[in-house]
Amino acid sequence: FEEADLNADGRLSFDEFQRWYAQPKQEQFNQVAATPITMEEIQNLTLLADLHVEDAVAIIESAANRQGLLDLESFSECVMENFVLPNHQSLSVAGIQRAEVVIEALFRVFDQDHNGYVDHVELASGMSILCGGSREDKVKAAFSLYDVNGDGFISLDEMITYLTSVFKLMFQVSPETQSEVGVTAEKLAAVTAQQAFEEADLNADGRLSFDEFQRWYAQPKQEQFNQVAATPITMEEIQNLTLLADLHVEDAVAIIESAANRQGLLDLESFSECVMENFVLPNHQSLSVAGIQRAEVVIEALFRVFDQDHNGYVDHVELASGMSILCGGSREDKVKAAFSLYDVNGDGFISLDEMITYLTSVFKLMFQVSPETQSEVGVTAEKLAAVTAQQAFEEADLN
């Protein structure tokens, strides 16, 4: 909008939108890309590897309020005063600013509902993988965090919560790992915990003792990953499965729209049925049982990309916008379809907020099927959409 909304009237005409849309994508990416945060940077910044895991857990716990929660301010203060400044006393202004960026990124990993608070147990669990101490020390710390009543057992749900915290941080600082695994931290945690209980809960009482938990934890990590890792979902696989490239973008949009309810929403069942009946089965009539199962995995993954609040519904406009990048038709066809989706009142204009929503949908799908792109960019789909849309209005809103 900053680039394209030249008359600063807060809306883009079709010509302005088209002019911005036609710019080389790589140039836009290069302008907005942030420096990725790596495991090495966090370790160098905090020197948690030099701190015993139990000490780190105690420090984080002491910073929490009575409900066991930390807001960004208390977390930042805790990390800066206990882990950063003591180890970097001559840190430059730029160094402090970068430290604040890293700390906030860590906080956002766990503040998934964006309410401004995170549970100290989740934080400590995730950050424990960065700490020093033996494998046994870490397993004891992890177990004690979730053995809330101190009876020496943890439940399946408690273990899922623990593993989700670990995988969230792991994926944040090592995006290539998420690319290899191909599923969310939550999904990986659920599958891994379920597998752990099947292997380790020898008396099938639905809980793990410390000895059982330790026995599972001591397995080689790579073996666990290999057992639970799903085959990564790629752009090529989605295109081969749906053959959307052979379908005109307007036709694809119309099909998705027709599957929505009166509020314009689709649940997973209606979306799966829509994609399977209209895009998959007509093109793969002799699909094997394994092929159908894989198709269901891919379709659910696409749905989860847009169901960010986990309420079980997605907006058909967001779905259609994101999936439009997979469809056939010329660039002009795709521009027209994208514009018409967000020109709700048909007045020939879209606002900055509408453009951000459109771009967020596109980038969400792009990042899902091409995680290396998100790794290169270093920001979320929402952030990239906001910056790109603002830049578009500056360039394209000529009047």
Side-chain angles (χ1 to χ4, degrees):
F1 265 60
E2 289 175 2
E3 295 171 357
D5 187 13
L6 299 186
N7 67 343
D9 65 348
R11 57 185 190 169
L12 291 186
S13 67
F14 176 72
D15 288 340
E16 291 169 334
F17 180 78
Q18 186 175 36
R19 189 178 300 110
W20 168 80
Y21 192 99
Q23 293 182 52
K25 291 295 181 192
Q26 189 57 47
E27 182 180 339
Q28 296 171 24
F29 268 99
N30 291 341
Q31 291 171 352
V32 300
T35 304
I37 297 169
T38 64
M39 181 79 83
E40 183 180 11
E41 179 179 18
I42 296 174
Q43 288 175 325
N44 290 338
L45 181 68
T46 62
L47 295 185
L48 279 169
D50 296 337
L51 194 65
H52 194 282
V53 62
E54 288 187 358
D55 296 329
V57 168
I59 289 171
I60 295 171
E61 188 173 7
S62 67
N65 62 20
R66 291 183 179 180
Q67 289 74 44
L69 304 175
L70 293 88
D71 59 13
L72 176 58
E73 183 179 358
S74 58
F75 177 65
S76 297
E77 184 178 327
C78 171
V79 174
M80 194 69 84
E81 292 186 359
N82 293 283
F83 307 133
V84 177
L85 294 180
N87 301 311
H88 305 278
Q89 296 177 359
S90 59
L91 205 61
S92 66
V93 173
I96 291 175
Q97 291 174 335
R98 179 61 182 173
E100 291 172 345
V101 168
V102 173
I103 292 168
E104 181 171 352
L106 286 175
F107 183 86
R108 300 300 177 201
V109 169
F110 298 100
D111 184 20
Q112 292 295 297
D113 58 1
H114 310 295
N115 72 344
Y117 290 91
V118 293
D119 187 273
H120 82 281
V121 172
E122 293 187 31
L123 273 174
S125 300
M127 293 182 68
S128 68
I129 65 174
L130 303 170
C131 294
S134 66
R135 179 183 289 273
E136 187 174 355
D137 291 332
K138 292 184 180 182
V139 77
K140 284 181 179 177
F143 192 88
S144 64
L145 279 169
Y146 287 98
D147 180 17
V148 180
N149 60 3
D151 66 350
F153 295 94
I154 58 172
S155 68
L156 176 62
D157 286 344
E158 288 170 336
M159 189 168 180
I160 290 173
T161 303
Y162 161 67
L163 290 174
T164 299
S165 302
V166 171
F167 291 143
K168 277 179 182 176
L169 182 58
M170 190 179 296
F171 287 173
Q172 170 70 21
V173 299
S174 181
E176 66 276 7
T177 302
Q178 184 167 18
S179 174
E180 292 168 6
V181 172
V183 292
T184 64
E186 291 81 1
K187 180 68 173 178
L188 182 58
V191 173
T192 307
Q194 188 66 50
Q195 175 190 325
F197 265 64
E198 290 175 3
E199 296 173 356
D201 184 16
L202 301 182
N203 63 349
D205 65 349
R207 58 184 189 170
L208 292 186
S209 67
F210 175 73
D211 288 340
E212 291 171 330
F213 181 76
Q214 186 177 36
R215 190 178 303 113
W216 169 81
Y217 193 97
Q219 293 180 37
K221 287 295 177 193
Q222 190 56 49
E223 183 180 338
Q224 294 172 26
F225 266 98
N226 291 342
Q227 290 171 350
V228 302
T231 304
I233 297 169
T234 63
M235 183 78 82
E236 183 180 11
E237 180 179 17
I238 296 175
Q239 288 174 326
N240 290 339
L241 181 68
T242 63
L243 295 186
L244 280 169
D246 297 337
L247 193 65
H248 194 281
V249 61
E250 288 188 358
D251 296 330
V253 168
I255 289 171
I256 294 172
E257 188 173 8
S258 67
N261 63 19
R262 292 184 179 181
Q263 290 74 44
L265 303 175
L266 293 88
D267 59 13
L268 176 58
E269 183 179 357
S270 58
F271 176 65
S272 296
E273 184 178 328
C274 171
V275 174
M276 193 69 84
E277 292 186 0
N278 291 284
F279 307 134
V280 177
L281 294 180
N283 301 312
H284 305 279
Q285 295 178 0
S286 59
L287 206 61
S288 65
V289 173
I292 291 175
Q293 291 174 334
R294 179 60 182 172
E296 291 171 346
V297 168
V298 173
I299 292 169
E300 181 172 352
L302 287 174
F303 183 86
R304 300 300 178 202
V305 169
F306 298 99
D307 183 21
Q308 292 297 295
D309 58 1
H310 310 297
N311 73 345
Y313 291 91
V314 293
D315 187 273
H316 82 280
V317 173
E318 292 187 31
L319 272 173
S321 299
M323 293 182 67
S324 68
I325 64 174
L326 303 170
C327 294
S330 65
R331 178 181 289 273
E332 186 173 355
D333 292 331
K334 293 183 180 181
V335 172
K336 285 181 179 177
F339 192 89
S340 64
L341 279 168
Y342 286 97
D343 180 17
V344 180
N345 60 4
D347 67 350
F349 295 94
I350 58 173
S351 69
L352 177 60
D353 286 343
E354 289 170 334
M355 189 168 180
I356 290 173
T357 303
Y358 161 67
L359 289 173
T360 299
S361 302
V362 171
F363 291 143
K364 278 179 181 176
L365 182 56
M366 190 180 297
F367 286 174
Q368 170 70 21
V369 299
S370 180
E372 67 276 7
T373 302
Q374 184 168 19
S375 176
E376 291 169 8
V377 173
V379 294
T380 64
E382 291 80 1
K383 179 66 174 177
L384 182 58
V387 174
T388 307
Q390 191 68 46
Q391 175 187 329
F393 263 61
E394 288 178 3
E395 295 176 355
D397 188 12
L398 301 182
N399 65 350

